[in-house]
Amino acid sequence: MEISGKYEPTLVEDKWYKYWMDNKFFHSTPDEREPYTIVIPPPNVTGVLHMGHMLNNTIQDILVRRARMLGKNACWVPGTDHASIATEAKVVAKLEKEGIKKSSLTRESFLEHAWEWKEKHGGIILEQLKKLGASCDWDRTCFTMDEERSNSVIKVFVDLHNKGLIYRGIRMVNWDPAAKTALSDEEVIYKEEQSKLYYVRYKIEDENEWVTVATTRPETILGDTAICVNPNDERFKHLAGKRVLVPLINRSVPIIMDEYVDMEFGTGCLKITPAHDVNDYEIGLRHNLEIIDTFNDDGTLSEAAQLFVGEDRFDVRKKIVPELEKAGNLVKVENYTNKVGFSERTGVAIEPKISAQWFLKMTELAKPALDAVENDDVEFHPKKFKNLYRHWMENVKDWCISRQLWWGHRIPVYYLEDGSYVVATSAEEALKLAQQKTGNTSLTSAHIKQEEDVLDTWASSWLWPISVFDGFNPENNEIDYYYPTNDLVTGHDIIFFWVARMIIAGYEFRGTFPFKNVYFTGMVRDKQGRKMSKQLGNSPDPLDLIAKYGADGVRVGMLFCSPAGGDLLFDEALPEQGRNFTAKIWNAFRLVKSWEVDNTIEQPEHSKLAIEWFASKLSKTIVEMDDHFSKFRISDALMLIYTTIRDEFSSWLLEVVKPAYQQPIDGKTYNQLIELFDKVMRLLHPFMPFISEEIWQQLAPRKQGESIMVSLLPQAGEIDEALLEKMDDAKEIISGIRNVRNEAGLAMKEQLELQVNQGTKGFDAQLTPVIVKMGNLSGLSLVDADVKGAVSFRVKTSGFFISLGDKIDVEEELKKLTEELQYTKGFLNSVMKKLSNERFVSGAPAQVVDVERKKQADAEEKIKAIEARIEGLKA
């Protein structure tokens, strides 16, 4: 088969992905093998592929492909999240473009539109992941609102309610005026804002005296129901029992005393608006204050505000200030920096709002999940995120799980006409329970009404590792095989939303953790460190990158600078580097396949040595890669195989064994080389699945149904450390010969004679055949002393000399040796500083200290050798 002169990623990627799919290599069913399971963090069904998805899913695919090649039954479950707020917002926007208001639709007709939209747009991101090479078991694709997952969510709600862990309460919640729903505390993002602090005075009723308060939210004044001072504040003790008039509307409200007020802060007086501030709400409960909600659900002012009715809260903030000034209530305005809570989903400022909501008690549920991470039953990578997790879990609050939306899992609570309720998995079961509860068997479905609210999106995705295997169905045994899963790859920004809650659910419903390891990826930023966004125009389309650089190039480009938990500074030079690496591998393959093979030729000694050396080098690489993977140093593992291929395989092994121009290669070397190439491709495959498959299929005859992705990873053989060190010295000698050629302007074809004054280190005669071939030497001989008048270089304590006749410049050679001597002395000085530091010697691992001592000994020997060479030239 003719090999293309240029690697064509698009053709190769489409061909092999189809082959993998047709042969069902991604599909998993329980068998006798050890399972390896990953569940995908389900992207929003509304979403399209972005750079964060690329990084996250590349890492997952590497782990899954590697597990498959370790002989495990690898199962990577894909799926999408229904994303209540985001999806409903998109459907509402689409309907508004068509002139349809959500308020004009019934719940059922709105959901028809939503499902139609989901079927049209949902799942796009999963198709895009295939372009990346994601080896998910697509037959298992799940959706958080499909039948199995929905049944799981409803069963869990009923179970937790029956355990007394779910309750309905009137609380102050975080309200999103754009989505018109409550949010959990974790869905509120606090940002520092440059605000204004408004000083407003309130007239004491029936007296010519005023009190002044400071507020950042003058629009809430219309909901004030008290002024509060500290009972220990001498300035205000005379006001006990008096009342003030709320500006503009003249509502008479009491002055109350409460030690909550900080006497040192502001004016010492607080306006109390129980409906619109969480602290004011608590004070209002203690003092039995009236609660006046002056905001509608959309953030406009309600009838209860009396003024500015129907106007947006932020417009009112601007309009009320001149009115307060006109009325004589505005004292002054100052610049002020404060933190404001914003909706994580819609980006609008949240409103504290009194609302009846459903809550899940978290304190007891959280304890096993906290212990699991503390004890490393669930291991975080990197471990620094344990502190963040611990802080949240030790201060966990009850979870507001209800949302005022239609798209989502409708809460399975059914109200009777008297206001009482039953909780059931279906309307039919609810009716039976209602009949039992009332003793009235004549009750019909018309007498019960289901709760309008839906559950928080996270109340379905927290069950994901269980529900994707239908783990709440007692008749299903897959859960026992695949659960707990092995690794979770996710962003640290959802450690509370998702990771913590999945661990909680795992212990509550399965009695154990949902995954053993959590690998936290960082955020993908641009090369200036800025967050990627459409507004900045710094977020490239991943599919465009794949089209330009190939999927393999993009995959390794994403990982070239991606430490666990650390942000990735993305530069398009990274996938370009990946593409260039792809080209290098392809060119190496073309070179090997271009050689004519002659099985009658004896294997040259230089080829034999090179094959033995690289086999040892590869074994060492395998051991080190295994260690990197065990510690989730995935980028380090990639860099190791990358440099092994680029530097050792392509630049050294192939060059040593390459036959002379238009000459054949011996059969033994060729077959051994193909075997090593095969191993290298298998090690590379998890990172670069497409090019590795393309080359592997052509390295040797393959049968239909064979694939590199279901072959086993190579195992480490014996590691000859002595040979590795000898080859390192040989490479340095060869580089020295090349430098002499370059400096003297000698062509590679011109043979040279090398003389060696062998020291204790730096040269071993075993590698002579390699040195002779790679240095194009006419001969190599040992001498007892430095050769006067020859160009020289040193490797450790051995001296190497090439006589160039009149071409040598003694002065230039002395200058070069003097510079080398100064550098080596400087290096020795830096080593000695470390070794003379008592804290370093006593505190560093013994292995590290030994390395420094070896550096000292090598440097001292090299200095002696250079000084002797200088003396020889001067003689």
Side-chain angles (χ1 to χ4, degrees), residues 757 786 794 817 821 862-874:
N757 184 1
D786 289 355
R794 308 200 75 80
L817 286 167
L821 180 63
K862 190 172 182 180
I863 287 168
K864 282 180 188 175
I866 295 171
E867 286 174 339
R869 174 64 182 148
I870 290 171
E871 286 303 312
L873 280 174
K874 286 180 177 177

Side-chain angles (χ1 to χ4, degrees), residues 622-829:
I622 291 168
V623 170
E624 290 175 359
M625 285 184 75
D626 288 346
D627 182 57
H628 286 320
F629 271 105
S630 73
K631 295 166 182 169
F632 285 83
R633 295 198 298 245
I634 297 170
S635 291
D636 291 343
L638 167 64
M639 285 308 297
L640 184 57
I641 189 62
Y642 172 80
T643 53
T644 299
I645 293 171
R646 184 194 64 187
D647 302 338
E648 314 297 352
F649 183 79
S650 296
S651 298
W652 285 105
L653 176 64
L654 295 188
E655 290 301 314
V656 175
V657 303
K658 184 166 67 175
Y661 181 62
Q662 291 190 336
Q663 295 299 307
I665 187 172
D666 69 280
K668 185 174 183 181
T669 298
Y670 183 80
N671 292 333
Q672 290 174 327
L673 181 62
I674 292 295
E675 187 180 332
L676 289 171
F677 210 148
D678 183 300
K679 288 181 179 180
V680 166
M681 288 300 97
R682 281 183 279 150
L683 288 171
L684 182 66
H685 177 75
F687 302 98
M688 303 180 79
F690 293 108
I691 190 169
S692 56
E693 181 78 89
E694 177 74 3
I695 290 174
W696 185 87
Q697 291 283 348
Q698 297 180 60
L699 282 174
R702 310 289 183 194
K703 297 173 186 173
Q704 173 61 30
E706 283 190 287
S707 170
I708 191 172
M709 69 168 286
V710 289
S711 64
L712 293 176
L713 282 171
Q715 299 296 304
E718 285 187 26
I719 301 171
D720 187 339
E721 291 286 358
L723 179 58
L724 293 178
E725 187 175 357
K726 289 173 191 175
M727 185 63 180
D728 285 344
D729 290 342
K731 288 193 282 186
E732 199 172 336
I733 294 165
I734 294 160
S735 296
I737 297 168
R738 289 171 176 171
N739 288 338
V740 170
R741 287 183 183 280
N742 290 336
E743 288 171 12
L746 299 174
M748 185 62 194
K749 64 183 179 180
E750 191 170 337
Q751 288 194 317
L752 300 173
E753 173 79 25
L754 182 68
Q755 293 174 295
V756 183
N757 184 1
Q758 186 172 3
T760 56
K761 294 177 182 175
F763 173 77
D764 191 293
Q766 183 187 359
L767 270 292
T768 296
V770 173
I771 297 166
V772 168
K773 195 225 169 173
M774 295 299 287
N776 191 21
L777 302 178
S778 57
L780 185 154
S781 59
L782 297 177
V783 293
D784 296 331
D786 289 355
V787 181
K788 292 180 181 179
V791 176
S792 69
F793 60 89
R794 308 200 75 80
V795 175
K796 295 178 180 170
T797 60
S798 295
F800 299 85
F801 306 91
I802 300 173
S803 295
L804 297 176
D806 296 337
K807 293 178 181 176
I808 184 168
D809 184 332
V810 174
E811 289 300 319
E812 188 61 33
E813 184 72 3
L814 281 169
K815 182 183 174 188
K816 184 177 72 175
L817 286 167
T818 303
E819 286 174 357
E820 188 177 359
L821 180 63
Q822 287 173 344
Y823 171 81
T824 309
K825 283 181 175 179
F827 175 75
L828 176 61
N829 188 44

Side-chain angles (χ1 to χ4, degrees), residues 28-31 35-39 73 75 77 140 142 148-149 152 155-156 462-486 502 505-515:
S28 170
T29 53
D31 60 25
Y36 176 85
T37 318
I38 283 187
V39 293
N73 188 352
C75 181
V77 183
R140 292 180 175 275
C142 299
E148 281 184 14
R149 263 47 65 185
S152 299
K155 284 178 184 176
V156 164
W462 79 314
L463 308 174
W464 191 245
I466 305 173
S467 65
V468 294
F469 298 113
D470 200 14
F472 295 96
N473 177 0
E475 296 173 12
N476 169 48
N477 61 4
E478 272 202 345
I479 186 73
D480 295 326
Y481 180 75
Y482 290 115
Y483 187 97
T485 69
N486 295 74
M502 280 191 289
Y507 280 96
E508 178 64 18
F509 302 112
R510 297 294 304 175
T512 188
F513 48 78
F515 28 73

Side-chain angles (χ1 to χ4, degrees), residues 156 160 163-167 184-186 358-371 389 392-401 456 458-459 462 495-509:
V156 164
L160 292 172
K163 290 174 179 173
L165 294 170
I166 287 178
Y167 64 94
S184 67
D185 291 341
E186 292 70 43
W358 290 94
F359 295 87
L360 175 60
K361 296 176 184 176
M362 294 292 283
T363 306
E364 290 304 313
L365 283 174
K367 285 178 181 174
L370 173 58
D371 291 342
Y389 179 86
W392 186 75
M393 294 292 269
E394 287 178 346
N395 297 279
V396 70
K397 295 178 182 176
D398 287 357
W399 176 9
C400 176
I401 54 173
D456 177 12
W458 299 103
W462 79 314
I495 194 169
F496 312 132
F497 292 129
W498 196 45
V499 178
R501 289 169 178 165
M502 280 191 289
I503 299 172
I504 289 170
Y507 280 96
E508 178 64 18
F509 302 112

Side-chain angles (χ1 to χ4, degrees), residues 280-325:
D280 291 7
Y281 175 67
E282 296 296 332
I283 291 171
L285 291 178
R286 287 199 293 273
H287 295 271
N288 199 27
L289 296 177
E290 184 183 4
I291 296 173
I292 301 173
D293 187 350
T294 57
F295 288 156
N296 295 315
D297 287 351
D298 63 357
T300 58
L301 267 67
S302 67
E303 294 286 345
Q306 302 180 44
L307 304 175
F308 310 108
V309 175
E311 296 188 49
D312 182 78
R313 54 190 169 147
F314 294 116
D315 292 337
V316 174
R317 182 177 298 179
K318 294 173 186 173
K319 289 182 177 181
I320 201 171
V321 173
E323 294 299 321
L324 289 168
E325 191 171 20

Side-chain angles (χ1 to χ4, degrees), residues 581-601:
F581 181 50
T582 307
K584 188 171 187 70
I585 299 167
W586 187 250
N587 289 337
F589 169 62
R590 287 180 61 238
L591 174 67
V592 171
K593 281 294 186 176
S594 71
W595 294 336
E596 182 187 340
V597 182
D598 187 340
N599 289 308
T600 66
I601 304 173

Side-chain angles (χ1 to χ4, degrees), residues 178-312:
K180 297 181 191 172
T181 181
L183 304 175
S184 67
D185 291 341
E186 292 70 43
E187 290 168 296
V188 179
I189 308 298
Y190 286 91
K191 300 177 189 174
E192 204 167 77
E193 293 276 298
Q194 299 304 312
S195 304
K196 301 283 185 187
L197 192 60
Y198 302 89
Y199 289 80
V200 180
R201 62 179 193 161
Y202 290 59
K203 188 175 187 303
I204 296 174
E205 193 173 22
D206 300 327
E207 292 186 25
N208 192 25
E209 189 179 352
W210 305 72
V211 291
T212 300
V213 304
T215 180
T216 57
R217 305 196 61 203
E219 69 276 14
T220 64
I221 285 172
L222 306 174
D224 289 354
T225 57
I227 292 291
C228 187
V229 296
N230 193 305
N232 302 311
D233 196 329
E234 295 293 337
R235 294 172 296 173
F236 305 116
K237 280 190 174 180
H238 69 288
L239 297 179
K242 295 187 178 181
R243 301 177 73 84
V244 297
L245 299 176
V246 175
L248 302 182
I249 55 175
N250 289 326
R251 179 189 302 124
S252 174
V253 300
I255 296 175
I256 60 173
M257 304 283 179
D258 196 294
E259 290 189 347
Y260 169 80
V261 180
D262 183 350
M263 293 186 287
E264 305 300 319
F265 182 77
T267 65
C269 292
L270 283 185
K271 62 187 277 309
I272 304 299
T273 320
H276 301 297
D277 181 274
V278 66
N279 296 313
D280 291 7
Y281 175 67
E282 296 296 332
I283 291 171
L285 291 178
R286 287 199 293 273
H287 295 271
N288 199 27
L289 296 177
E290 184 183 4
I291 296 173
I292 301 173
D293 187 350
T294 57
F295 288 156
N296 295 315
D297 287 351
D298 63 357
T300 58
L301 267 67
S302 67
E303 294 286 345
Q306 302 180 44
L307 304 175
F308 310 108
V309 175
E311 296 188 49
D312 182 78

